[in-house]
Amino acid sequence: MLGRLTADLGADVETIRQVVERLSADQRHGLRPLPNPLPSVPAIAGAFDGLELDGRDRELLLALAVALDDSLAPLVDLDGRSPDEIASGPIGEHLLVHAGHVRFVDPRLSVWIRATAPTATTARVHERLSAILRRRGDQVGADWHQARGSLERDPATAPQLIRIARRLIGAGLPERAFLLAREAVAHAVDGLRDEAVLVAGSSAVAAGYAAEGAAWLARLYPGGAASCRRRGLGGLFVAHALLTGTVPDVDHRALRPVGDAEDWGQWTRAAALAALMCAERQDRRGMRVWLDEVRQGAARIGVERDLGDRVVALSWLIAGERDVDGSSGSRSVSGTILDALRSAMDGDLDRGLRLLARDDAAILPVGDALVPEHERTPLVQAYRVVVEVLLLAWRGDIGVARDKLFEAALVLPVALPFAGLGVVLARRLDLIVLGELGPYSRALTEALPPGVRIDLLVDRGLREYLAGSFDDAAATIRLWAELGGVRPAMTVPGLEELAVGAGSHENTVVALAPPDIIRAQSLRARLARAGEGRWRSECDDVREAARTLRSPFARARVETMLGTQFAIRDDHVSARIHLLHAERLFELSGATAWARAIRRRLDRLDPRDGSTAPAIDALSACRAAWSSQLTARELEVAMHAIRGAANRDIAEALRVSVRTVEVHLGRVFTKLEVRSRVELTVLAHRAEQHL
């Protein structure tokens, strides 16, 4: 939305602010299209206050403002002057004329000229442009301007507008299709109106305007034409899921068709979209129900391979099942996404990225049985881009992934795919690179539909961790784990090792991740659980295993934990080696904020000015570190013990028996693999010094 306003308002900050204040919440969040024309606000009126135009110049500017494209020839026919005469005349300073095209120098002038033109004048310009374009053979433009210029309903324009709107959806231009379809609705009569409503709703969903699409498609139920209801069902399922986070709860048996193959084809595609929406939201029960409908429908119309098997495989893969049998993908969009994710699960991220990078549409147009005629639309392309960014992050190209995502965010609804995965990625990548949330990730967060939940606690924990507040980060991540925190359908960088021992997620389905990421997570968990007795053997094993990790970011995080553990044990030489490795690897991956955090640890480990690290009171970092291994009561006993309290004093403070204190203290010794209070105290102060 901001990208579009920046282009349409000449990047004038005050004008954008005033226009945004006039928008609805759904328009600000990108869930409905911007008004056309944009509202005229004081900043626009002030910019052109005093601009004097004669009737001929004003009419030419108005024609440019209402035209469907920037072609110069129709405007020359309308005005009668040559391009040179226009460029050298009084309005030439307001126009950029080049190679047969023309546009406003300041795009705000388009808003002003439309706002100040009388309705009758605007209608006359539309009528003249319609006649000119019809003579030139542009039936689309002619019918568009004829409909826009008509002050009464003109049913003759509707069929052509609907046909062209459908073509525009297939060409990947659903926003323009929506304009034509919406105009067709205003002029269509009888059964054709339902057809226009269907195209308007479908084009809005395809553009990413979930609220707009849902509103239009809902008009077909229950009284719309049966054929339109069947064709609109899949789009309605998608729009509803994007807005509310759930697929509508419907009676499948009542909706299941009894007619011909075309009816079954529409139903099967709708069921396939519903299954995928459920998979994205980890609703396995709903996914299974819809997949049963997909199998039945695909078998009935003979599209098991092109639709049924592919949707089943993709749904289960998104739901977290790595080893699902099924047909391979194809050069279609959904097939490419399936093949790319499968390649990632096989450990071949490079192949997955090559599959996603190829431009099939430019080489050989391949239809997608799941989203026919919508392959090039912004919503479908947003899915492809989010998967590409995810694979880049998995490969360790953090900086490249962030640039790719934010570039796409200017033109695609990247906040919608995979239940908000694009927003989670934007936030994590910002934190990893900047150490804080930037303007893009904050804007994308605001654009999330109300039905989408993301794991904000993990983001807060990551921000605290990178700022050096280890104890706060550990407490935040454990709280997230204990609350059964939200996890995206696919693994994104987090702080899972700080949640070791929380238990809430140990039996849940693991989010999708390639082998390299899973190995790195396992290595960090081993280090987090390692006690004093197993430390040396665990360290050697983890160190060797870390060298096999191909992702520089994943390996850097393991090296960070190794360095920290060595520092806790006063082996500063080894600690420095591993932390230096981590710093270089973070820099290589583009994880700038993480590299800065490691540099701070190195400076604290070995201060260059000869000073010692500042003391920290209350052993807060030690408490946070041990909280992943000890129960709450054991932790309290341990903290009293390392401060020198006798067992009787601890018993009185905690209002338990001395015997209970002894039992808890024995368990603490066992879990932390120490033999005495002295060793426990030494371990505590080492942890406090280096975490």
Side-chain angles (χ1 to χ4, degrees):
M1 183 274 295
L2 286 175
R4 177 62 54 82
L5 287 178
T6 299
D8 290 350
L9 298 175
D12 184 77
V13 174
E14 181 57 26
T15 303
I16 293 173
R17 185 189 66 78
Q18 292 181 14
V19 169
V20 168
E21 290 176 348
R22 300 278 189 92
L23 302 179
S24 68
D26 282 345
Q27 287 172 330
R28 290 197 299 271
H29 296 159
L31 298 175
R32 290 186 185 271
L34 295 171
N36 184 26
L38 290 171
S40 182
V41 294
I44 293 178
F48 303 103
D49 185 32
L51 176 62
E52 296 183 1
L53 301 168
D54 63 25
R56 188 178 186 182
D57 286 342
R58 178 178 287 274
E59 193 165 278
L60 176 61
L61 292 178
L62 181 59
L64 175 58
V66 300
L68 272 176
D69 56 38
D70 61 356
S71 297
L72 177 61
L75 302 183
V76 171
D77 290 351
L78 178 141
D79 183 77
R81 287 176 285 186
S82 70
D84 287 340
E85 289 174 324
I86 293 173
S88 60
I91 60 172
E93 63 181 297
H94 300 292
L95 300 174
L96 290 174
V97 180
H98 178 69
H101 298 275
V102 59
R103 59 187 177 89
F104 290 102
V105 172
D106 185 343
R108 295 180 298 170
L109 181 55
S110 174
V111 179
W112 180 81
I113 200 74
R114 294 180 71 174
T116 56
T119 302
T121 302
T122 302
R124 184 174 67 250
V125 168
H126 277 298
E127 290 172 358
R128 293 186 61 194
L129 284 173
S130 175
I132 290 169
L133 292 173
R134 203 172 300 282
R135 288 196 302 270
R136 287 180 163 272
D138 182 357
Q139 296 302 317
V140 178
D143 284 348
W144 159 257
H145 286 291
Q146 180 181 335
R148 294 294 290 170
S150 177
L151 299 180
E152 297 180 355
R153 178 173 290 179
D154 186 356
T157 63
Q160 176 74 347
L161 291 177
I162 293 171
R163 284 194 296 271
I164 300 305
R166 287 204 196 96
R167 294 179 192 171
L168 289 172
I169 294 175
L173 300 170
E175 288 195 59
R176 181 173 290 188
F178 176 71
L179 291 178
L180 269 64
R182 186 174 62 181
E183 194 65 33
V185 173
H187 294 275
V189 295
D190 301 328
L192 198 60
R193 188 179 304 161
D194 286 342
E195 190 73 25
V197 168
L198 170 65
V199 177
S202 299
S203 57
V205 175
Y209 301 131
E212 188 77 20
W216 280 98
L217 293 173
R219 293 169 62 174
L220 297 173
Y221 304 91
S227 63
C228 293
R229 292 201 311 270
R230 287 192 296 271
R231 284 179 287 159
L233 194 58
L236 186 60
F237 285 165
V238 171
H240 190 279
L242 295 177
L243 284 175
T244 68
T246 61
V247 175
D249 186 11
V250 299
D251 185 347
H252 307 82
R253 289 172 296 183
L255 290 174
R256 192 179 298 145
V258 294
D260 55 17
E262 182 179 351
D263 291 345
W264 274 99
Q266 298 295 342
W267 168 250
T268 305
R269 278 190 286 273
L273 291 170
L276 287 168
M277 292 296 107
C278 289
E280 291 178 16
R281 287 148 185 82
Q282 301 297 289
D283 176 9
R284 290 194 169 203
R285 185 197 65 80
M287 182 188 73
R288 289 189 183 96
V289 171
W290 284 111
L291 286 180
D292 286 343
E293 297 293 331
V294 172
R295 292 186 186 95
Q296 180 178 347
R300 190 169 186 121
I301 59 177
V303 292
E304 293 96 332
R305 179 178 177 82
D306 292 339
L307 182 60
D309 293 346
R310 187 185 308 160
V311 168
V312 170
L314 187 55
S315 296
W316 279 108
L317 192 61
I318 293 171
E321 295 293 335
R322 298 167 51 86
D323 303 318
V324 179
D325 294 330
S327 66
S328 62
S330 70
R331 293 176 69 86
S332 65
V333 179
S334 63
T336 296
I337 289 175
L338 174 59
D339 280 348
L341 288 173
R342 277 180 164 165
S343 294
M345 295 308 100
D346 291 337
D348 195 347
L349 289 164
D350 291 341
R351 179 177 183 272
L353 287 166
R354 287 196 302 271
L355 291 172
L356 291 165
R358 69 188 183 190
D359 187 2
D360 288 328
I363 301 171
L364 178 65
V366 176
D368 193 322
L370 176 64
V371 286
E373 299 181 356
H374 286 66
E375 295 88 348
R376 304 184 192 182
T377 59
L379 181 59
V380 172
Q381 290 303 312
Y383 271 85
R384 185 190 63 78
V385 168
V386 169
V387 173
E388 184 177 359
V389 169
L390 181 68
L391 265 62
L392 285 168
W394 282 345
R395 195 172 69 174
D397 294 328
I398 300 298
V400 175
R402 179 174 176 271
D403 292 344
K404 178 76 176 179
L405 181 60
F406 291 154
E407 179 184 356
L410 294 174
V411 293
L412 298 175
V414 296
L416 299 179
F418 302 107
L421 178 63
V423 179
V424 177
L425 279 167
R427 294 171 66 90
R428 298 291 171 81
L429 293 172
D430 253 359
L431 289 170
I432 292 169
V433 174
L434 304 178
E436 61 184 7
L437 298 180
Y440 280 95
S441 58
R442 290 199 301 271
L444 286 172
T445 303
E446 289 297 319
L448 273 175
V452 177
R453 296 172 60 221
I454 59 175
D455 43 354
L456 300 177
L457 278 176
V458 176
D459 293 341
R460 178 175 178 174
L462 185 56
R463 189 162 52 241
E464 293 165 341
Y465 182 85
L466 292 174
S469 301
F470 177 83
D471 52 335
D472 291 342
T476 301
I477 297 301
R478 283 182 59 78
L479 177 62
W480 164 78
E482 290 166 1
L483 292 175
V486 179
R487 285 176 182 252
M490 304 180 199
T491 296
V492 294
L495 290 170
E496 302 85 0
E497 62 272 20
L498 297 188
V500 170
S504 297
H505 285 76
E506 291 179 358
N507 296 319
T508 59
V509 176
V510 178
L512 201 66
D516 216 33
I517 301 302
I518 294 174
R519 283 197 299 270
Q521 291 174 340
S522 175
L523 294 176
R524 296 199 304 272
R526 285 176 63 182
L527 290 174
R529 293 190 180 101
E532 286 298 300
R534 300 195 314 275
W535 157 246
R536 181 53 61 182
S537 61
E538 289 281 26
C539 163
D540 292 341
D541 290 346
V542 169
R543 182 162 45 194
E544 289 302 314
R547 294 173 181 171
T548 68
L549 298 174
R550 299 180 62 187
S551 163
F553 181 74
R555 180 176 173 183
R557 294 188 60 192
V558 178
E559 295 285 351
T560 297
M561 289 198 70
L562 282 166
T564 301
Q565 293 292 341
F566 273 116
I568 289 172
R569 290 159 177 82
D570 283 338
D571 185 349
H572 288 199
V573 174
S574 297
R576 185 169 182 80
I577 290 172
H578 286 289
L579 291 176
L580 281 171
H581 285 167
E583 183 185 28
R584 300 296 182 264
L585 289 166
F586 281 135
E587 290 173 347
L588 179 64
S589 70
T592 309
W594 221 304
R596 287 198 304 266
I598 298 303
R599 173 45 53 188
R600 288 194 295 269
R601 291 193 185 190
L602 281 164
D603 290 342
R604 184 175 179 181
L605 179 69
D606 186 17
R608 298 177 183 180
D609 62 1
S611 62
T612 58
I616 302 176
D617 294 331
L619 294 171
S620 57
C622 172
R623 174 187 288 272
W626 287 356
S627 64
S628 65
Q629 296 170 275
L630 306 179
T631 67
R633 182 61 79 185
E634 289 167 354
L635 184 60
E636 291 303 319
V637 170
M639 298 308 293
H640 280 287
I642 62 177
R643 293 186 178 95
N647 287 358
R648 185 171 298 280
D649 296 332
I650 298 173
E652 291 178 358
L654 300 181
R655 296 183 179 179
V656 296
S657 69
V658 174
R659 175 57 183 162
T660 299
V661 172
E662 292 172 349
V663 170
H664 284 314
L665 200 54
R667 290 173 179 167
V668 169
F669 289 171
T670 300
K671 290 182 178 181
L672 299 181
E673 299 183 20
V674 296
R675 294 171 295 180
S676 67
R677 281 170 172 262
V678 173
E679 289 186 6
L680 181 67
T681 303
V682 170
L683 178 62
H685 285 280
R686 284 178 180 172
E688 184 64 30
Q689 180 182 358
H690 298 294
L691 284 177

